[in-house]
Amino acid sequence: MQKINLRTKLNNLRKFDLKHKRALDRLELKNVEDLFLYFPVRYEDFSNITLIKNLKINEKQTIRGMIKSIKNKRTSKRWLVLTEAKVEDESGQLKIVWFNQPYLEKFLRVGTYVTLNGKVELNYNSVSMNSPAFEKFKFDSKCGQILPVYSETNGMSSKYLRFILKPLLKLSTKFEDFMPDEIKNQLSLIDLSEALRQIHFPDNLEILKKARLRLAFDELFLLQLNNLLKKKKWQENKAFKIKFDEKLIKKFVASLPFKLTKDQKIAAWEIFLDLEKDKPMNRLLEGDVGSGKTVVALMAMYLIANFKKQSILMAPTEILAKQHYETISKLLGGEKSVSRLRKKKQITIGLLTRVDRKIDNKNVSKSFLVNKAKKGQIDILIGTHAVIQEDIKLKNLALTVIDEQHRFGVEQRAKLKKININLKNSPHLLSMTATPIPRTLALGLYGDLDISILKEKPIGRKKILTKLVAPYNRDKAYEFIREKINSGRQVFVVCPRIKASEEKCDSNQNMWDDIKAVEEEYEKLSKEIFPEFSIAMMHGKLKKEDKEKTLSKFRNNEIKILVSTSVIEVGIDFPNATIMMIEGAERFGLAQLHQFRGRVGRSEIQSFCFLFSDSMSQKSYDRLMVLVNCDDGFVLAEKDLELRGPGEVYGIRQSGLPDLKMASLMDGNLLKLAKAEAERFLVKNNIKKFPLLREKINIFCQTTHFE
Ligand code: ADP
Ligand code: MG
């Protein structure tokens, strides 16, 4: 007989039919190890047996007894087969009914002992247990079974998975425990092999709890260790020390057309402290839409420029890059009050995207721009990822700022982080995001970063009045909008999709019919509702030039209403737009709706957000009312996470969110524990002395798609 180990291919253990083969492929279960690491999603608890005479109606319970009779019956509806059985235990008999499983008649013959788990119901005066889960057992077998239920995909039942895993269970001892003893002892964690056995076939609920804790802790601990090691490695790089210049910064702040908020000052201060160190900063600046992140980053870039060093500001879209270029040019010298700043030292600003190459408002060629940047003659280089594609090595790069960092793909972000790294001086790194990530989640996700948060909105901002508009009030809302446009304001309309779908799903016909598509909405608004105003469309399928043209017209107030898909979600800034209308609002998540809403309310003028929805469940209604009543992005993000989970809200792959199997990133307590333990461990120990742990971290990071 062949020797079986964890690497043994399942194919070599038994012959699978095509159906099972395909299912194993789909689940990526290749060898014995994979099978162990494919955890159940829940359990059927056969351990808690109720006597038939004590059963309660409408509750899920487990009974155990012998089949006294079993027979298939055809019903009046011809396609339905009922299998009716009588089961008896020492206290009485009960009718059992299964639907459309005629083979049961042969499988559960009279005299078979079974455990049944299901709901007991009362129908037409007859008590029965309907469609229970069942398990045969030998009368003398050990009682108290809790059976694993796996996420079932076509062609692979939990029963079958149990059947192939159970005989392999003793191989669990082949898993080497990577968890250092001191941590296991400290937290009374059970051994890995024990945990892996118990997670599939638990002896009782108590040990199952321990197995779960062990495996969940493993994931968060590895995640945190990885974060800390990354941080340590990052800090091994050398960075330019940028000395804080109080006079200079005070002058800059005084030149701004507004007063900084307290949070902006604190964040800037945290950044200045980081810049003074010779280790590169790695900081995340989190702030709700409109909280004023740009100017915080600009303060750092300004200081650095005066230090004769360079900064890059990277934006996820061309629109945004251009907008940053314009605002920053203005703040650094466009206005009279600021021109003094430029006299002292000319700050050169460059813009590099696929369509724009500019230095200080002059169009230049790409090679000219790139050359100048390389030589250190551009102080602030603003651009899209076109900048990384050029593989620019800036001679004096001291700071990379990544705006709306969650908009970049995982790979792009990894690349961005590497800009100029490994030169003698690595740049400091400032990432910014408008997606408010609750602290606990940020801890798991970005444990290698330091975090600054802008919670406070700039003073003078009025709360955006948010209303859920009932269908019969639609005309009223349009009238209101007409008035506002006539008094000079502008409007965004957001729709869920570009084109009305041609194909109709039968069951969801109403849903598809009701979707407000951008094109349809544009037609309707420009022909029927607001023929007197100029209206334009914006969506991802438009050509770059057309997008730019439309936006610049909108900025100049030549366009009054912009009908758009969710592309306008990313931080664009049009202070004169004061009304946000969202069609099909129930189709967006809370965090996203809040982002849309953040496109207005960017000046002192009262702004409005109208949510439209023509068909809505109570659940959607409740969710939208949360948005109506709350304008704190952090609270909304937390609510969203509670309702939809981190994967849905932030997108697993796109956000670099680890794809955990057992732990939840929402489990703040376990996260904190894992972080504290990881920190304590690394202070005391050298990871090199724990090769097994080291290897496990690497594997874990690959398989969880973590950056
Ligand atoms: P976000 O954090 O969403 O990127 P921005 O940096 O684009 O926000 O700032 C939004 C707007 O608020 C900009 O027009 C900016 O000039 C302005 N702003 C920034 N800070 C303040 C402040 N302290 N007071 C008033 N307006 C401010
Ligand atoms: Mg921004």
Side-chain angles (χ1 to χ4, degrees), residues 335-355:
E335 291 174 13
K336 260 193 209 140
S337 60
V338 202
S339 57
R340 272 174 293 130
L341 294 172
R342 306 265 302 230
K343 255 185 222 149
K344 188 167 169 236
K345 186 198 172 291
Q346 182 71 29
I347 293 178
T348 311
I349 307 171
L351 174 64
L352 174 61
T353 69
R354 268 193 308 178
V355 287

mmCIF file of all heavy atoms in Angstrom, residues 335-355:
data_model
loop_
_atom_site.group_PDB
_atom_site.id
_atom_site.type_symbol
_atom_site.label_atom_id
_atom_site.label_comp_id
_atom_site.label_asym_id
_atom_site.label_seq_id
_atom_site.Cartn_x
_atom_site.Cartn_y
_atom_site.Cartn_z
ATOM 1 N N GLU A 335 -2.967 83.086 -6.728
ATOM 2 C CA GLU A 335 -3.653 84.233 -6.145
ATOM 3 C C GLU A 335 -2.675 85.247 -5.596
ATOM 4 O O GLU A 335 -1.571 84.927 -5.208
ATOM 5 C CB GLU A 335 -4.608 83.730 -5.053
ATOM 6 C CG GLU A 335 -5.744 82.964 -5.701
ATOM 7 C CD GLU A 335 -6.664 82.315 -4.689
ATOM 8 O OE1 GLU A 335 -6.566 82.669 -3.500
ATOM 9 O OE2 GLU A 335 -7.458 81.469 -5.110
ATOM 10 N N LYS A 336 -3.163 86.469 -5.540
ATOM 11 C CA LYS A 336 -2.296 87.573 -5.138
ATOM 12 C C LYS A 336 -1.612 87.319 -3.805
ATOM 13 O O LYS A 336 -0.413 87.443 -3.663
ATOM 14 C CB LYS A 336 -3.148 88.846 -5.016
ATOM 15 C CG LYS A 336 -3.032 89.733 -6.232
ATOM 16 C CD LYS A 336 -3.625 91.090 -5.915
ATOM 17 C CE LYS A 336 -4.165 91.693 -7.205
ATOM 18 N NZ LYS A 336 -5.434 92.382 -7.013
ATOM 19 N N SER A 337 -2.443 86.957 -2.824
ATOM 20 C CA SER A 337 -1.917 86.829 -1.474
ATOM 21 C C SER A 337 -0.791 85.801 -1.403
ATOM 22 O O SER A 337 0.031 85.847 -0.509
ATOM 23 C CB SER A 337 -3.030 86.418 -0.525
ATOM 24 O OG SER A 337 -3.550 85.176 -0.952
ATOM 25 N N VAL A 338 -0.761 84.913 -2.340
ATOM 26 C CA VAL A 338 0.210 83.835 -2.256
ATOM 27 C C VAL A 338 1.469 84.130 -3.064
ATOM 28 O O VAL A 338 2.486 83.479 -2.884
ATOM 29 C CB VAL A 338 -0.406 82.509 -2.764
ATOM 30 C CG1 VAL A 338 0.357 81.332 -2.212
ATOM 31 C CG2 VAL A 338 -1.858 82.418 -2.370
ATOM 32 N N SER A 339 1.376 85.112 -3.939
ATOM 33 C CA SER A 339 2.499 85.297 -4.865
ATOM 34 C C SER A 339 3.807 85.518 -4.119
ATOM 35 O O SER A 339 4.874 85.207 -4.619
ATOM 36 C CB SER A 339 2.221 86.446 -5.820
ATOM 37 O OG SER A 339 1.963 87.597 -5.059
ATOM 38 N N ARG A 340 3.705 86.035 -2.892
ATOM 39 C CA ARG A 340 4.925 86.224 -2.113
ATOM 40 C C ARG A 340 5.658 84.903 -1.898
ATOM 41 O O ARG A 340 6.866 84.845 -1.844
ATOM 42 C CB ARG A 340 4.579 86.853 -0.764
ATOM 43 C CG ARG A 340 4.559 88.367 -0.827
ATOM 44 C CD ARG A 340 4.074 88.922 0.493
ATOM 45 N NE ARG A 340 2.669 88.581 0.684
ATOM 46 C CZ ARG A 340 2.190 88.036 1.789
ATOM 47 N NH1 ARG A 340 2.980 87.736 2.779
ATOM 48 N NH2 ARG A 340 0.911 87.776 1.895
ATOM 49 N N LEU A 341 4.865 83.842 -1.751
ATOM 50 C CA LEU A 341 5.472 82.522 -1.540
ATOM 51 C C LEU A 341 6.383 82.163 -2.693
ATOM 52 O O LEU A 341 7.422 81.556 -2.519
ATOM 53 C CB LEU A 341 4.400 81.441 -1.427
ATOM 54 C CG LEU A 341 3.470 81.504 -0.224
ATOM 55 C CD1 LEU A 341 2.367 80.490 -0.396
ATOM 56 C CD2 LEU A 341 4.258 81.243 1.047
ATOM 57 N N ARG A 342 5.941 82.483 -3.874
ATOM 58 C CA ARG A 342 6.693 82.055 -5.049
ATOM 59 C C ARG A 342 7.929 82.899 -5.270
ATOM 60 O O ARG A 342 8.878 82.441 -5.892
ATOM 61 C CB ARG A 342 5.802 82.119 -6.298
ATOM 62 C CG ARG A 342 4.521 81.363 -6.172
ATOM 63 C CD ARG A 342 4.628 79.972 -6.734
ATOM 64 N NE ARG A 342 5.005 79.923 -8.131
ATOM 65 C CZ ARG A 342 4.341 79.216 -9.028
ATOM 66 N NH1 ARG A 342 3.233 78.601 -8.697
ATOM 67 N NH2 ARG A 342 4.777 79.134 -10.255
ATOM 68 N N LYS A 343 7.862 84.159 -4.766
ATOM 69 C CA LYS A 343 9.031 85.008 -4.964
ATOM 70 C C LYS A 343 10.238 84.430 -4.248
ATOM 71 O O LYS A 343 11.341 84.418 -4.752
ATOM 72 C CB LYS A 343 8.731 86.419 -4.443
ATOM 73 C CG LYS A 343 8.503 87.398 -5.587
ATOM 74 C CD LYS A 343 8.332 88.792 -5.047
ATOM 75 C CE LYS A 343 7.201 89.491 -5.783
ATOM 76 N NZ LYS A 343 6.503 90.449 -4.934
ATOM 77 N N LYS A 344 9.949 83.937 -3.043
ATOM 78 C CA LYS A 344 11.045 83.447 -2.220
ATOM 79 C C LYS A 344 11.739 82.283 -2.933
ATOM 80 O O LYS A 344 12.939 82.232 -3.051
ATOM 81 C CB LYS A 344 10.507 82.964 -0.883
ATOM 82 C CG LYS A 344 11.622 82.624 0.070
ATOM 83 C CD LYS A 344 11.095 82.442 1.473
ATOM 84 C CE LYS A 344 12.177 81.848 2.339
ATOM 85 N NZ LYS A 344 11.776 80.623 2.987
ATOM 86 N N LYS A 345 10.928 81.393 -3.387
ATOM 87 C CA LYS A 345 11.521 80.313 -4.159
ATOM 88 C C LYS A 345 10.515 79.820 -5.160
ATOM 89 O O LYS A 345 9.399 79.455 -4.801
ATOM 90 C CB LYS A 345 11.915 79.153 -3.235
ATOM 91 C CG LYS A 345 12.655 78.121 -4.025
ATOM 92 C CD LYS A 345 12.711 76.788 -3.367
ATOM 93 C CE LYS A 345 13.305 75.759 -4.323
ATOM 94 N NZ LYS A 345 12.439 75.445 -5.462
ATOM 95 N N GLN A 346 10.884 79.842 -6.381
ATOM 96 C CA GLN A 346 9.989 79.361 -7.429
ATOM 97 C C GLN A 346 9.760 77.867 -7.254
ATOM 98 O O GLN A 346 10.702 77.093 -7.183
ATOM 99 C CB GLN A 346 10.639 79.646 -8.786
ATOM 100 C CG GLN A 346 9.814 79.255 -9.970
ATOM 101 C CD GLN A 346 8.606 80.181 -10.148
ATOM 102 O OE1 GLN A 346 8.645 81.339 -9.776
ATOM 103 N NE2 GLN A 346 7.548 79.639 -10.708
ATOM 104 N N ILE A 347 8.508 77.482 -7.124
ATOM 105 C CA ILE A 347 8.212 76.049 -7.047
ATOM 106 C C ILE A 347 7.690 75.590 -8.397
ATOM 107 O O ILE A 347 6.731 76.144 -8.929
ATOM 108 C CB ILE A 347 7.180 75.760 -5.940
ATOM 109 C CG1 ILE A 347 7.809 76.072 -4.581
ATOM 110 C CG2 ILE A 347 6.740 74.298 -5.994
ATOM 111 C CD1 ILE A 347 6.886 75.871 -3.420
ATOM 112 N N THR A 348 8.358 74.606 -8.975
ATOM 113 C CA THR A 348 7.965 74.132 -10.297
ATOM 114 C C THR A 348 7.027 72.945 -10.163
ATOM 115 O O THR A 348 7.326 71.989 -9.448
ATOM 116 C CB THR A 348 9.219 73.703 -11.081
ATOM 117 O OG1 THR A 348 10.178 74.751 -10.979
ATOM 118 C CG2 THR A 348 8.888 73.448 -12.534
ATOM 119 N N ILE A 349 5.902 73.062 -10.860
ATOM 120 C CA ILE A 349 4.901 72.001 -10.757
ATOM 121 C C ILE A 349 4.712 71.342 -12.118
ATOM 122 O O ILE A 349 4.555 72.020 -13.130
ATOM 123 C CB ILE A 349 3.552 72.575 -10.281
ATOM 124 C CG1 ILE A 349 3.768 73.383 -8.997
ATOM 125 C CG2 ILE A 349 2.545 71.463 -10.033
ATOM 126 C CD1 ILE A 349 2.558 74.165 -8.566
ATOM 127 N N GLY A 350 4.755 70.025 -12.157
ATOM 128 C CA GLY A 350 4.577 69.308 -13.415
ATOM 129 C C GLY A 350 3.337 68.432 -13.382
ATOM 130 O O GLY A 350 2.895 67.999 -12.313
ATOM 131 N N LEU A 351 2.776 68.200 -14.573
ATOM 132 C CA LEU A 351 1.627 67.308 -14.679
ATOM 133 C C LEU A 351 1.919 66.253 -15.738
ATOM 134 O O LEU A 351 2.258 66.589 -16.872
ATOM 135 C CB LEU A 351 0.378 68.110 -15.074
ATOM 136 C CG LEU A 351 -0.891 67.292 -15.377
ATOM 137 C CD1 LEU A 351 -1.371 66.550 -14.144
ATOM 138 C CD2 LEU A 351 -2.001 68.201 -15.908
ATOM 139 N N LEU A 352 1.821 64.994 -15.370
ATOM 140 C CA LEU A 352 2.093 63.920 -16.323
ATOM 141 C C LEU A 352 0.989 62.872 -16.284
ATOM 142 O O LEU A 352 0.853 62.122 -15.317
ATOM 143 C CB LEU A 352 3.443 63.260 -16.006
ATOM 144 C CG LEU A 352 3.807 62.017 -16.837
ATOM 145 C CD1 LEU A 352 3.897 62.348 -18.315
ATOM 146 C CD2 LEU A 352 5.117 61.412 -16.364
ATOM 147 N N THR A 353 0.161 62.866 -17.347
ATOM 148 C CA THR A 353 -0.808 61.787 -17.503
ATOM 149 C C THR A 353 -0.657 61.299 -18.934
ATOM 150 O O THR A 353 0.230 61.758 -19.650
ATOM 151 C CB THR A 353 -2.257 62.273 -17.288
ATOM 152 O OG1 THR A 353 -2.621 63.121 -18.366
ATOM 153 C CG2 THR A 353 -2.415 63.018 -15.977
ATOM 154 N N ARG A 354 -1.553 60.404 -19.349
ATOM 155 C CA ARG A 354 -1.417 59.950 -20.726
ATOM 156 C C ARG A 354 -1.747 61.051 -21.724
ATOM 157 O O ARG A 354 -1.284 61.036 -22.852
ATOM 158 C CB ARG A 354 -2.315 58.737 -20.961
ATOM 159 C CG ARG A 354 -1.569 57.444 -20.714
ATOM 160 C CD ARG A 354 -2.335 56.294 -21.226
ATOM 161 N NE ARG A 354 -3.697 56.351 -20.680
ATOM 162 C CZ ARG A 354 -4.640 55.483 -20.977
ATOM 163 N NH1 ARG A 354 -4.401 54.516 -21.823
ATOM 164 N NH2 ARG A 354 -5.832 55.572 -20.440
ATOM 165 N N VAL A 355 -2.585 62.023 -21.301
ATOM 166 C CA VAL A 355 -2.946 63.086 -22.241
ATOM 167 C C VAL A 355 -2.283 64.425 -21.947
ATOM 168 O O VAL A 355 -2.092 65.237 -22.845
ATOM 169 C CB VAL A 355 -4.482 63.282 -22.313
ATOM 170 C CG1 VAL A 355 -5.124 62.134 -23.055
ATOM 171 C CG2 VAL A 355 -5.091 63.436 -20.931
#
